[in-house]
Amino acid sequence: MLGAAFKMRLRQTEGLIGSVITLMGLTISARDRTTVSRRAVTLPVIPPAQLPDGPLNVLIDSTGLQVYGAGQWLEAKHGAQSRREWRKLQLAVDAGSGMIVAQTLTDQDGDDPSQTGPLLDQIDGRIAQVIADGL
């Protein structure tokens, strides 16, 4: 699953898992790529989730995501001050199924009301009701 999520070949996935195990200080070993390849053949294919029929009741909310990078490393290592960066993730969720039907990512200065239109434009089906906080 990690290989599929990060679009890596089996040899790269084996190396990633081995590195993670080493970083965690565990004494287990990672499966080699040939074993993973043999077992991947028997994995069931999970069909993508489908939106329910009929109009959607859409819930819209946002959350802040802190961006970590070299600035935080310098701060921890040398005590240097860095400007913290944030992004805002706006999500539109179907109230019935809990499925995310649209998303936008903006910088920290973006406001929620300005993203309502782009979120609703991403939804193909009919919309019965939109519920959002702070709009």
Side-chain angles (χ1 to χ4, degrees):
M1 290 186 334
L2 281 172
F6 295 112
K7 296 179 178 50
M8 295 187 302
R9 303 267 187 234
L10 292 176
R11 188 181 301 254
Q12 294 169 326
T13 305
E14 179 186 354
L16 171 70
I17 298 300
S19 297
V20 169
I21 290 171
T22 302
L23 287 172
M24 293 176 67
L26 300 175
T27 57
I28 59 174
S29 61
R31 296 282 181 200
D32 62 282
R33 62 193 168 280
T34 55
T35 302
V36 173
S37 178
R38 281 195 309 269
R39 290 184 179 177
V41 172
T42 61
L43 287 176
V45 176
I46 300 171
Q50 298 293 323
L51 284 175
D53 293 333
L56 301 175
N57 292 319
V58 179
L59 306 173
I60 297 177
D61 201 5
S62 66
T63 186
L65 304 172
Q66 186 174 3
V67 178
Y68 287 96
Q72 284 71 29
W73 176 82
L74 286 172
E75 187 174 323
K77 178 101 172 148
H78 302 292
Q81 292 295 323
S82 65
R83 181 174 177 260
R84 300 214 185 270
E85 287 193 41
W86 291 84
R87 299 289 184 264
K88 286 182 93 173
L89 176 64
Q90 289 87 9
L91 296 174
V93 178
D94 173 41
S97 66
M99 205 171 127
I100 297 173
V101 293
Q103 78 284 334
T104 60
L105 185 66
T106 61
D107 62 2
Q108 61 195 16
D109 299 326
D111 60 339
D112 294 345
S114 69
Q115 295 306 308
T116 304
L119 282 170
L120 296 177
D121 290 343
Q122 293 178 33
I123 301 172
D124 292 332
R126 292 186 7 231
I127 299 172
Q129 184 179 21
V130 176
I131 301 171
D133 63 341
L135 293 179

